[in-house]
Amino acid sequence: KVLVEKMADINLKEVTLLVGVVTACYWNSLFCGFVFDDVSAILDNKDLHPSTPLKTLFQNDFWGTPMSEERSHKSYRPLTVLTFRLNYLFSELKPMSYHLLNMIFHAVVSVIFLKVCKLFLDNRSSMIAALLFAVHPIHTEAVTGVVGRAELLSSIFFLAAFLSYTKSKGPDNTIAWTPIALTVFLVAVATLCKEQGITVVGICCVYEVFIAQGYTLPLLCSTAGQFLRGKGSIPFSMLQTLIKLIVLMFSTLLLVVIRVQVIQSQLPVFTRFDNPAAVSPTPTRQLTFNYLLPVNAWLLLNPSELCCDWTMGTIPLIESFLDIRNLATFAFFCFLGALGIFSLRYPGDSSKTVLMALCLMALPFIPASNLFFPVGFVVAERVLYVPSMGFCILVAHGWQKILNKSVFKKLSWVCLSMVLLTHALKTLHRNWDWESEYTLFMSALKVNKNNAKLWNNVGHALENEKNFERALKYFLQATHVQPDDIGAHMNVGRTYKNLNRTREAEESYMMAKSLMPQIIPGKKYAARIAPNHLNVYINLANLIRANESRLEEADQLYRQAISMRPDFKQAYISRGELLLKMNKPLKAKEAYLKALELDRNNADLWYNLAIVYIELKEPNEALRNFNHALELNPKHKLALFNSAILMQESGEVKLRPEARKRLLNYVNEEPQDANGYFNLGMLAMDDKKDTEAEIWMKKAIKLQADFRSALFNLALLYSQTAKELKALPILEELLRYYPDHIKGLILKGDILMNQKKDILGAKKCFEKILEMDPSNVQGKHNLCVVYFEEKDLLKAEKCLVETLALAPHEEYIQRHLSIVRDKISSSGFVEQLVFPADKTSGEEGDKLPAENIKEIRSESRPTQIMKTIESKSKKQLAKNADKETPQKTTKDIKEIEKKRVAALKRLEEIERILNGE
């Protein structure tokens, strides 16, 4: 025992060498991004955010999906997610820190593995095994891929648990319970990092029986036979061994029970595309699964062709006993059996070393072997991280045997050096494949062109770069490689839609829909297909509802998806939006309430419900739902913006500070959106903070030079604050972008007539208004004022008569007509009379006002529903919804004005200012 402990010690030189080798092999991984599964586990995982309660980590799976949901992968790894959260705390979503921590963890595993190797190998062979493990290219997926951290963390505690158990044998073969208790604890921690951590218990059992106690299989059989025949008793040492094994097995059973409770006795739902053999009949399933074992062994032996994804058609099914690949399976089991017999039958250090190597290779691989339950992949390089330890021990042990033969001494050193060097170079080169999704999947296509998923993923990478034409080629190739791949046809449809090829998009979606399995009465539909494939109904409905005549057809598709899966949340969300478009807010409300029953922690749902209440003219309820969305996600951009506008439009002074705070938060989140600055300017105008309002308006215009509302209201602000001449260039800019802006023309005409005394310029403004809208009362009235200024009283009278016909109930027009007629009847011409266009009533009988109006901000509220576009959960912010478009009619504007009492009050106030009341 003392000799073993002394051999197990490691020195600083060995640690330094291993850390240096790991750094040399993986330094370039620091420059890789988040790719493949990293996107779901890191970028899309809200469990990393500090705003998410820590307890949520222990309720959700590795990908952030609640374990109770059927779409969950049931991969329960809360401690691994916790380390991701720590990364996020220090560097948010900067990938370098994530890759650095992975590299550190790999170095730690390599050092601990060296310590384990020294239990069974001499110092030199142990170092060889540890070096081979450190540089093996098969580990790039586990080290360079951020999600591979689950393997790294689990391995640390896996090896620590085993090392702890090796100290459970006390003096005189007594039981040391403290190391056993520590082992059980470390096993639990390893399992919380990744499920395969529990398999270390099996390795401890084998170690106890065959290494610590020194039993061989013949000796165990002989002792058991004598006991059963009543010719002997069980030795005391064997009884102690049984007690230790019982404790280990009971602890393992307890962990298994807890694990089953966590997944709620449900296995994850996978499709035949993920693992075709899992749904194949006998004997295809058994032949294929057994063949996968030598395939994995070959990857360890010859890691020259590595691939990030081995699903779908990567490895064709073995459907016959006559398939030549069965020979590889037979040879593998023969070799494995020979090693097993040697290690179990014969005593000695060599057999013990081989036995432990075989255990390290086989037992941790069992959860991924498909032997007991199907998994969501055919082959995965990262799951070979721990099994490769046994392989490295076997290689180092075999090398030592060859080295002992003097004739092969030099050759063995040369071969070993070549293996280590080529493996290190392959690892270094392989890391660059993980630089981006495009490089990763293109490297995979070089190895395997029969996997439709790889073609799809290259397409996705190009799609993210907005290179839709090239993406379409890869998506189409995916449909050729796997014609029945629903997801590939959905990708083709989405890309056609992005290319505005609507007809082809609909055909592709219809093809995907036709591939969906038909409902079997009495059988649960969700168990037969991946939930994300049901998005074909959502995508198709989203496409056809752009046609106003097909809204009912789109609604039918949403309802069909819901009937297939009553807990399909996205179907309720999309249907709610459609019902709003169909002017059915009450039914939309029902849809969103149903979605909230399924997910009450979804801020987007509360936001959408708030929009429904706005349509139902219940602003208080809308604000309450906006607030609920912000409680769940304080940085919800649309909720911040629209709730602030709602507070703004309520007219309640006490809500203005909170509205301002939310708009400030919004511009902090969206600093390039001019809408936020514009509405901050409008708030400042409400509070009579003219200087601040001017600053905000200028910021909005700087970001968006053609911002219609900001340009007009800045000009109006200048006119209110006796800076009319500063307003003129702003109005010129406004009218350059929007020549038909009637209110801008009115204000410009007022300023030209009153400040610049440019009667002709003002006249052109008012005449242009009447060219566009002959029934515009304000423009017509102000043109009458121009005639009066030109001292053409008869023309002014005729003009006012025509204006009165347009607005017979306007008292001020009648009054002004009376003034003109009085002047005509008394003298017919009055010299040097001034008719200021900014006065409202003829108190002295000789003044006519020009009318103006403030552009109200009711048009600045984006009411876009937060929705999922196609099959992705990407949210689009409604921008520039405050713009008044030329197509907006006077009737539309009046309808908006009626809805907003506060805006009308501001309008009246501005009119009073302009008219001098």
Side-chain angles (χ1 to χ4, degrees), residues 344-383:
L344 290 172
R345 185 168 184 177
Y346 302 105
D349 292 339
S350 182
S351 60
K352 291 178 181 179
T353 301
V354 171
L355 178 62
M356 292 309 300
L358 290 175
C359 287
L360 277 169
M361 287 179 67
L363 295 181
F365 186 73
I366 286 176
S369 66
N370 287 286
L371 296 177
F372 298 102
F373 48 82
V375 293
F377 52 83
V378 179
V379 173
E381 293 164 12
R382 62 180 176 270
V383 303

mmCIF file of all heavy atoms in Angstrom, residues 344-383:
data_model
loop_
_atom_site.group_PDB
_atom_site.id
_atom_site.type_symbol
_atom_site.label_atom_id
_atom_site.label_comp_id
_atom_site.label_asym_id
_atom_site.label_seq_id
_atom_site.Cartn_x
_atom_site.Cartn_y
_atom_site.Cartn_z
ATOM 1 N N LEU A 344 -9.329 -11.183 -16.077
ATOM 2 C CA LEU A 344 -10.122 -11.739 -14.978
ATOM 3 C C LEU A 344 -9.587 -13.094 -14.491
ATOM 4 O O LEU A 344 -9.771 -13.448 -13.327
ATOM 5 C CB LEU A 344 -11.580 -11.916 -15.430
ATOM 6 C CG LEU A 344 -12.381 -10.626 -15.638
ATOM 7 C CD1 LEU A 344 -13.725 -10.934 -16.278
ATOM 8 C CD2 LEU A 344 -12.596 -9.903 -14.307
ATOM 9 N N ARG A 345 -8.932 -13.806 -15.373
ATOM 10 C CA ARG A 345 -8.540 -15.170 -15.027
ATOM 11 C C ARG A 345 -7.182 -15.260 -14.351
ATOM 12 O O ARG A 345 -6.974 -16.082 -13.449
ATOM 13 C CB ARG A 345 -8.553 -16.023 -16.297
ATOM 14 C CG ARG A 345 -8.275 -17.482 -16.011
ATOM 15 C CD ARG A 345 -8.585 -18.336 -17.214
ATOM 16 N NE ARG A 345 -8.421 -19.751 -16.920
ATOM 17 C CZ ARG A 345 -8.690 -20.725 -17.775
ATOM 18 N NH1 ARG A 345 -9.143 -20.421 -18.992
ATOM 19 N NH2 ARG A 345 -8.511 -21.987 -17.443
ATOM 20 N N TYR A 346 -6.255 -14.399 -14.793
ATOM 21 C CA TYR A 346 -4.888 -14.539 -14.318
ATOM 22 C C TYR A 346 -4.540 -13.432 -13.320
ATOM 23 O O TYR A 346 -4.899 -12.270 -13.515
ATOM 24 C CB TYR A 346 -3.909 -14.504 -15.494
ATOM 25 C CG TYR A 346 -4.183 -15.587 -16.505
ATOM 26 C CD1 TYR A 346 -4.782 -15.278 -17.729
ATOM 27 C CD2 TYR A 346 -3.858 -16.912 -16.228
ATOM 28 C CE1 TYR A 346 -5.045 -16.274 -18.653
ATOM 29 C CE2 TYR A 346 -4.121 -17.911 -17.151
ATOM 30 C CZ TYR A 346 -4.717 -17.588 -18.359
ATOM 31 O OH TYR A 346 -4.974 -18.585 -19.272
ATOM 32 N N PRO A 347 -3.814 -13.792 -12.271
ATOM 33 C CA PRO A 347 -3.371 -12.767 -11.323
ATOM 34 C C PRO A 347 -2.156 -12.031 -11.880
ATOM 35 O O PRO A 347 -1.623 -12.385 -12.918
ATOM 36 C CB PRO A 347 -2.992 -13.591 -10.084
ATOM 37 C CG PRO A 347 -2.574 -14.925 -10.636
ATOM 38 C CD PRO A 347 -3.422 -15.159 -11.851
ATOM 39 N N GLY A 348 -1.756 -10.972 -11.192
ATOM 40 C CA GLY A 348 -0.575 -10.236 -11.624
ATOM 41 C C GLY A 348 -0.917 -8.795 -11.972
ATOM 42 O O GLY A 348 -2.066 -8.455 -12.276
ATOM 43 N N ASP A 349 0.103 -7.951 -11.959
ATOM 44 C CA ASP A 349 -0.087 -6.524 -12.203
ATOM 45 C C ASP A 349 -0.578 -6.240 -13.617
ATOM 46 O O ASP A 349 -1.381 -5.340 -13.849
ATOM 47 C CB ASP A 349 1.224 -5.780 -11.953
ATOM 48 C CG ASP A 349 1.617 -5.786 -10.485
ATOM 49 O OD1 ASP A 349 0.707 -5.998 -9.644
ATOM 50 O OD2 ASP A 349 2.805 -5.576 -10.182
ATOM 51 N N SER A 350 -0.081 -6.985 -14.589
ATOM 52 C CA SER A 350 -0.464 -6.737 -15.977
ATOM 53 C C SER A 350 -1.955 -6.960 -16.189
ATOM 54 O O SER A 350 -2.635 -6.155 -16.820
ATOM 55 C CB SER A 350 0.339 -7.636 -16.914
ATOM 56 O OG SER A 350 -0.002 -7.374 -18.255
ATOM 57 N N SER A 351 -2.458 -8.071 -15.654
ATOM 58 C CA SER A 351 -3.890 -8.360 -15.824
ATOM 59 C C SER A 351 -4.739 -7.321 -15.093
ATOM 60 O O SER A 351 -5.807 -6.927 -15.575
ATOM 61 C CB SER A 351 -4.207 -9.769 -15.315
ATOM 62 O OG SER A 351 -3.887 -9.878 -13.937
ATOM 63 N N LYS A 352 -4.254 -6.860 -13.935
ATOM 64 C CA LYS A 352 -5.005 -5.831 -13.202
ATOM 65 C C LYS A 352 -5.048 -4.519 -13.994
ATOM 66 O O LYS A 352 -6.075 -3.845 -14.045
ATOM 67 C CB LYS A 352 -4.359 -5.602 -11.834
ATOM 68 C CG LYS A 352 -4.518 -6.763 -10.875
ATOM 69 C CD LYS A 352 -3.813 -6.495 -9.553
ATOM 70 C CE LYS A 352 -3.949 -7.673 -8.598
ATOM 71 N NZ LYS A 352 -3.257 -7.434 -7.314
ATOM 72 N N THR A 353 -3.921 -4.174 -14.596
ATOM 73 C CA THR A 353 -3.877 -2.952 -15.391
ATOM 74 C C THR A 353 -4.834 -3.038 -16.571
ATOM 75 O O THR A 353 -5.592 -2.095 -16.862
ATOM 76 C CB THR A 353 -2.449 -2.700 -15.903
ATOM 77 O OG1 THR A 353 -1.569 -2.587 -14.784
ATOM 78 C CG2 THR A 353 -2.386 -1.439 -16.748
ATOM 79 N N VAL A 354 -4.816 -4.183 -17.258
ATOM 80 C CA VAL A 354 -5.709 -4.372 -18.401
ATOM 81 C C VAL A 354 -7.161 -4.321 -17.959
ATOM 82 O O VAL A 354 -8.015 -3.718 -18.631
ATOM 83 C CB VAL A 354 -5.391 -5.701 -19.116
ATOM 84 C CG1 VAL A 354 -6.451 -6.003 -20.171
ATOM 85 C CG2 VAL A 354 -4.010 -5.652 -19.749
ATOM 86 N N LEU A 355 -7.469 -4.949 -16.823
ATOM 87 C CA LEU A 355 -8.848 -4.966 -16.326
ATOM 88 C C LEU A 355 -9.347 -3.554 -16.046
ATOM 89 O O LEU A 355 -10.455 -3.182 -16.452
ATOM 90 C CB LEU A 355 -8.932 -5.813 -15.056
ATOM 91 C CG LEU A 355 -10.329 -5.866 -14.398
ATOM 92 C CD1 LEU A 355 -11.342 -6.488 -15.350
ATOM 93 C CD2 LEU A 355 -10.265 -6.643 -13.093
ATOM 94 N N MET A 356 -8.553 -2.739 -15.363
ATOM 95 C CA MET A 356 -8.981 -1.377 -15.048
ATOM 96 C C MET A 356 -9.096 -0.528 -16.313
ATOM 97 O O MET A 356 -9.996 0.315 -16.431
ATOM 98 C CB MET A 356 -7.997 -0.725 -14.067
ATOM 99 C CG MET A 356 -8.021 -1.342 -12.675
ATOM 100 S SD MET A 356 -9.686 -1.482 -11.960
ATOM 101 C CE MET A 356 -10.214 0.225 -11.929
ATOM 102 N N ALA A 357 -8.221 -0.773 -17.275
ATOM 103 C CA ALA A 357 -8.313 -0.050 -18.545
ATOM 104 C C ALA A 357 -9.617 -0.395 -19.267
ATOM 105 O O ALA A 357 -10.311 0.487 -19.789
ATOM 106 C CB ALA A 357 -7.108 -0.369 -19.416
ATOM 107 N N LEU A 358 -9.945 -1.702 -19.274
ATOM 108 C CA LEU A 358 -11.195 -2.123 -19.916
ATOM 109 C C LEU A 358 -12.412 -1.527 -19.215
ATOM 110 O O LEU A 358 -13.381 -1.119 -19.869
ATOM 111 C CB LEU A 358 -11.287 -3.649 -19.926
ATOM 112 C CG LEU A 358 -10.322 -4.386 -20.864
ATOM 113 C CD1 LEU A 358 -10.456 -5.884 -20.677
ATOM 114 C CD2 LEU A 358 -10.596 -4.000 -22.320
ATOM 115 N N CYS A 359 -12.367 -1.489 -17.891
ATOM 116 C CA CYS A 359 -13.494 -0.915 -17.134
ATOM 117 C C CYS A 359 -13.661 0.566 -17.447
ATOM 118 O O CYS A 359 -14.785 1.058 -17.605
ATOM 119 C CB CYS A 359 -13.264 -1.106 -15.634
ATOM 120 S SG CYS A 359 -13.479 -2.791 -15.083
ATOM 121 N N LEU A 360 -12.535 1.290 -17.511
ATOM 122 C CA LEU A 360 -12.615 2.718 -17.825
ATOM 123 C C LEU A 360 -13.137 2.953 -19.242
ATOM 124 O O LEU A 360 -13.797 3.960 -19.516
ATOM 125 C CB LEU A 360 -11.238 3.371 -17.677
ATOM 126 C CG LEU A 360 -10.836 3.791 -16.262
ATOM 127 C CD1 LEU A 360 -9.372 4.170 -16.212
ATOM 128 C CD2 LEU A 360 -11.699 4.954 -15.783
ATOM 129 N N MET A 361 -12.850 2.006 -20.146
ATOM 130 C CA MET A 361 -13.351 2.141 -21.510
ATOM 131 C C MET A 361 -14.830 1.792 -21.614
ATOM 132 O O MET A 361 -15.595 2.487 -22.301
ATOM 133 C CB MET A 361 -12.564 1.225 -22.459
ATOM 134 C CG MET A 361 -11.150 1.686 -22.759
ATOM 135 S SD MET A 361 -10.280 0.535 -23.854
ATOM 136 C CE MET A 361 -11.221 0.728 -25.364
ATOM 137 N N ALA A 362 -15.239 0.723 -20.942
ATOM 138 C CA ALA A 362 -16.583 0.181 -21.163
ATOM 139 C C ALA A 362 -17.662 0.818 -20.289
ATOM 140 O O ALA A 362 -18.706 1.245 -20.794
ATOM 141 C CB ALA A 362 -16.560 -1.327 -20.946
ATOM 142 N N LEU A 363 -17.415 0.893 -18.968
ATOM 143 C CA LEU A 363 -18.494 1.318 -18.067
ATOM 144 C C LEU A 363 -18.968 2.748 -18.309
ATOM 145 O O LEU A 363 -20.179 2.989 -18.376
ATOM 146 C CB LEU A 363 -18.055 1.105 -16.612
ATOM 147 C CG LEU A 363 -17.818 -0.353 -16.197
ATOM 148 C CD1 LEU A 363 -17.404 -0.435 -14.728
ATOM 149 C CD2 LEU A 363 -19.068 -1.182 -16.429
ATOM 150 N N PRO A 364 -18.068 3.741 -18.447
ATOM 151 C CA PRO A 364 -18.575 5.103 -18.702
ATOM 152 C C PRO A 364 -19.267 5.258 -20.054
ATOM 153 O O PRO A 364 -20.014 6.217 -20.265
ATOM 154 C CB PRO A 364 -17.303 5.966 -18.651
ATOM 155 C CG PRO A 364 -16.320 5.165 -17.874
ATOM 156 C CD PRO A 364 -16.610 3.752 -18.237
ATOM 157 N N PHE A 365 -19.022 4.305 -20.965
ATOM 158 C CA PHE A 365 -19.639 4.387 -22.284
ATOM 159 C C PHE A 365 -21.053 3.803 -22.307
ATOM 160 O O PHE A 365 -21.826 4.091 -23.227
ATOM 161 C CB PHE A 365 -18.765 3.639 -23.298
ATOM 162 C CG PHE A 365 -19.231 3.774 -24.723
ATOM 163 C CD1 PHE A 365 -19.059 4.975 -25.411
ATOM 164 C CD2 PHE A 365 -19.853 2.717 -25.372
ATOM 165 C CE1 PHE A 365 -19.498 5.111 -26.721
ATOM 166 C CE2 PHE A 365 -20.293 2.844 -26.680
ATOM 167 C CZ PHE A 365 -20.108 4.045 -27.360
ATOM 168 N N ILE A 366 -21.402 3.044 -21.280
ATOM 169 C CA ILE A 366 -22.697 2.360 -21.275
ATOM 170 C C ILE A 366 -23.884 3.314 -21.462
ATOM 171 O O ILE A 366 -24.785 3.029 -22.253
ATOM 172 C CB ILE A 366 -22.851 1.522 -19.991
ATOM 173 C CG1 ILE A 366 -21.969 0.271 -20.080
ATOM 174 C CG2 ILE A 366 -24.308 1.115 -19.753
ATOM 175 C CD1 ILE A 366 -21.959 -0.582 -18.841
ATOM 176 N N PRO A 367 -23.943 4.476 -20.760
ATOM 177 C CA PRO A 367 -25.105 5.355 -20.963
ATOM 178 C C PRO A 367 -25.274 5.834 -22.401
ATOM 179 O O PRO A 367 -26.392 6.175 -22.806
ATOM 180 C CB PRO A 367 -24.810 6.538 -20.025
ATOM 181 C CG PRO A 367 -23.908 5.984 -18.975
ATOM 182 C CD PRO A 367 -23.060 4.986 -19.693
ATOM 183 N N ALA A 368 -24.180 5.872 -23.178
ATOM 184 C CA ALA A 368 -24.263 6.354 -24.561
ATOM 185 C C ALA A 368 -24.303 5.217 -25.571
ATOM 186 O O ALA A 368 -24.281 5.459 -26.785
ATOM 187 C CB ALA A 368 -23.070 7.261 -24.867
ATOM 188 N N SER A 369 -24.399 3.981 -25.089
ATOM 189 C CA SER A 369 -24.252 2.829 -25.971
ATOM 190 C C SER A 369 -25.535 2.401 -26.650
ATOM 191 O O SER A 369 -25.504 1.527 -27.521
ATOM 192 C CB SER A 369 -23.694 1.647 -25.170
ATOM 193 O OG SER A 369 -24.654 1.239 -24.197
ATOM 194 N N ASN A 370 -26.685 2.954 -26.246
ATOM 195 C CA ASN A 370 -28.000 2.561 -26.763
ATOM 196 C C ASN A 370 -28.420 1.161 -26.310
ATOM 197 O O ASN A 370 -29.453 0.654 -26.761
ATOM 198 C CB ASN A 370 -28.033 2.596 -28.305
ATOM 199 C CG ASN A 370 -28.044 4.005 -28.859
ATOM 200 O OD1 ASN A 370 -29.055 4.704 -28.795
ATOM 201 N ND2 ASN A 370 -26.914 4.441 -29.409
ATOM 202 N N LEU A 371 -27.635 0.541 -25.439
ATOM 203 C CA LEU A 371 -27.938 -0.825 -25.033
ATOM 204 C C LEU A 371 -29.131 -0.899 -24.080
ATOM 205 O O LEU A 371 -29.872 -1.888 -24.079
ATOM 206 C CB LEU A 371 -26.703 -1.465 -24.378
ATOM 207 C CG LEU A 371 -25.492 -1.631 -25.303
ATOM 208 C CD1 LEU A 371 -24.319 -2.213 -24.532
ATOM 209 C CD2 LEU A 371 -25.843 -2.529 -26.494
ATOM 210 N N PHE A 372 -29.308 0.143 -23.257
ATOM 211 C CA PHE A 372 -30.392 0.123 -22.266
ATOM 212 C C PHE A 372 -31.515 1.099 -22.589
ATOM 213 O O PHE A 372 -32.660 0.891 -22.225
ATOM 214 C CB PHE A 372 -29.834 0.424 -20.871
ATOM 215 C CG PHE A 372 -28.839 -0.596 -20.408
ATOM 216 C CD1 PHE A 372 -27.471 -0.330 -20.456
ATOM 217 C CD2 PHE A 372 -29.248 -1.839 -19.961
ATOM 218 C CE1 PHE A 372 -26.550 -1.269 -20.049
ATOM 219 C CE2 PHE A 372 -28.325 -2.786 -19.544
ATOM 220 C CZ PHE A 372 -26.966 -2.506 -19.590
ATOM 221 N N PHE A 373 -31.182 2.177 -23.256
ATOM 222 C CA PHE A 373 -32.197 3.156 -23.670
ATOM 223 C C PHE A 373 -31.625 3.955 -24.843
ATOM 224 O O PHE A 373 -30.408 4.114 -24.950
ATOM 225 C CB PHE A 373 -32.575 4.095 -22.520
ATOM 226 C CG PHE A 373 -31.404 4.680 -21.790
ATOM 227 C CD1 PHE A 373 -30.727 5.793 -22.294
ATOM 228 C CD2 PHE A 373 -30.945 4.118 -20.601
ATOM 229 C CE1 PHE A 373 -29.644 6.323 -21.625
ATOM 230 C CE2 PHE A 373 -29.854 4.644 -19.933
ATOM 231 C CZ PHE A 373 -29.204 5.756 -20.446
ATOM 232 N N PRO A 374 -32.487 4.408 -25.745
ATOM 233 C CA PRO A 374 -31.989 5.136 -26.917
ATOM 234 C C PRO A 374 -31.486 6.524 -26.548
ATOM 235 O O PRO A 374 -31.991 7.157 -25.622
ATOM 236 C CB PRO A 374 -33.226 5.230 -27.824
ATOM 237 C CG PRO A 374 -34.386 5.152 -26.877
ATOM 238 C CD PRO A 374 -33.950 4.253 -25.754
ATOM 239 N N VAL A 375 -30.482 6.970 -27.259
ATOM 240 C CA VAL A 375 -29.963 8.326 -27.067
ATOM 241 C C VAL A 375 -30.175 9.111 -28.356
ATOM 242 O O VAL A 375 -30.510 8.544 -29.393
ATOM 243 C CB VAL A 375 -28.473 8.304 -26.672
ATOM 244 C CG1 VAL A 375 -28.293 7.680 -25.296
ATOM 245 C CG2 VAL A 375 -27.646 7.561 -27.713
ATOM 246 N N GLY A 376 -29.970 10.417 -28.289
ATOM 247 C CA GLY A 376 -30.281 11.281 -29.424
ATOM 248 C C GLY A 376 -29.166 11.425 -30.429
ATOM 249 O O GLY A 376 -29.098 12.442 -31.126
ATOM 250 N N PHE A 377 -28.280 10.428 -30.527
ATOM 251 C CA PHE A 377 -27.198 10.497 -31.508
ATOM 252 C C PHE A 377 -26.762 9.082 -31.860
ATOM 253 O O PHE A 377 -27.086 8.121 -31.160
ATOM 254 C CB PHE A 377 -26.008 11.300 -30.972
ATOM 255 C CG PHE A 377 -25.509 10.853 -29.621
ATOM 256 C CD1 PHE A 377 -24.630 9.795 -29.518
ATOM 257 C CD2 PHE A 377 -25.931 11.484 -28.464
ATOM 258 C CE1 PHE A 377 -24.168 9.365 -28.279
ATOM 259 C CE2 PHE A 377 -25.485 11.067 -27.224
ATOM 260 C CZ PHE A 377 -24.598 10.007 -27.127
ATOM 261 N N VAL A 378 -26.034 8.963 -32.950
ATOM 262 C CA VAL A 378 -25.481 7.671 -33.358
ATOM 263 C C VAL A 378 -24.096 7.495 -32.747
ATOM 264 O O VAL A 378 -23.819 6.512 -32.060
ATOM 265 C CB VAL A 378 -25.408 7.587 -34.900
ATOM 266 C CG1 VAL A 378 -24.812 6.251 -35.333
ATOM 267 C CG2 VAL A 378 -26.791 7.763 -35.506
ATOM 268 N N VAL A 379 -23.235 8.469 -33.015
ATOM 269 C CA VAL A 379 -21.892 8.523 -32.432
ATOM 270 C C VAL A 379 -21.669 9.953 -31.977
ATOM 271 O O VAL A 379 -22.098 10.894 -32.641
ATOM 272 C CB VAL A 379 -20.811 8.107 -33.462
ATOM 273 C CG1 VAL A 379 -19.417 8.335 -32.899
ATOM 274 C CG2 VAL A 379 -20.992 6.653 -33.868
ATOM 275 N N ALA A 380 -21.022 10.114 -30.837
ATOM 276 C CA ALA A 380 -20.672 11.462 -30.369
ATOM 277 C C ALA A 380 -19.262 11.412 -29.804
ATOM 278 O O ALA A 380 -18.996 10.688 -28.847
ATOM 279 C CB ALA A 380 -21.661 11.952 -29.316
ATOM 280 N N GLU A 381 -18.375 12.181 -30.390
ATOM 281 C CA GLU A 381 -16.964 12.119 -29.989
ATOM 282 C C GLU A 381 -16.756 12.545 -28.548
ATOM 283 O O GLU A 381 -15.870 12.042 -27.853
ATOM 284 C CB GLU A 381 -16.133 12.991 -30.934
ATOM 285 C CG GLU A 381 -16.081 12.440 -32.352
ATOM 286 C CD GLU A 381 -15.606 13.456 -33.369
ATOM 287 O OE1 GLU A 381 -15.089 14.522 -32.955
ATOM 288 O OE2 GLU A 381 -15.741 13.199 -34.574
ATOM 289 N N ARG A 382 -17.589 13.480 -28.055
ATOM 290 C CA ARG A 382 -17.369 13.979 -26.702
ATOM 291 C C ARG A 382 -17.624 12.914 -25.634
ATOM 292 O O ARG A 382 -17.036 12.974 -24.563
ATOM 293 C CB ARG A 382 -18.236 15.209 -26.442
ATOM 294 C CG ARG A 382 -19.729 14.974 -26.517
ATOM 295 C CD ARG A 382 -20.511 16.253 -26.232
ATOM 296 N NE ARG A 382 -21.942 16.072 -26.390
ATOM 297 C CZ ARG A 382 -22.597 16.259 -27.528
ATOM 298 N NH1 ARG A 382 -21.927 16.616 -28.602
ATOM 299 N NH2 ARG A 382 -23.903 16.067 -27.598
ATOM 300 N N VAL A 383 -18.494 11.934 -25.916
ATOM 301 C CA VAL A 383 -18.771 10.913 -24.899
ATOM 302 C C VAL A 383 -17.610 9.938 -24.773
ATOM 303 O O VAL A 383 -17.616 9.075 -23.882
ATOM 304 C CB VAL A 383 -20.087 10.152 -25.202
ATOM 305 C CG1 VAL A 383 -21.251 11.111 -25.295
ATOM 306 C CG2 VAL A 383 -19.974 9.306 -26.457
#
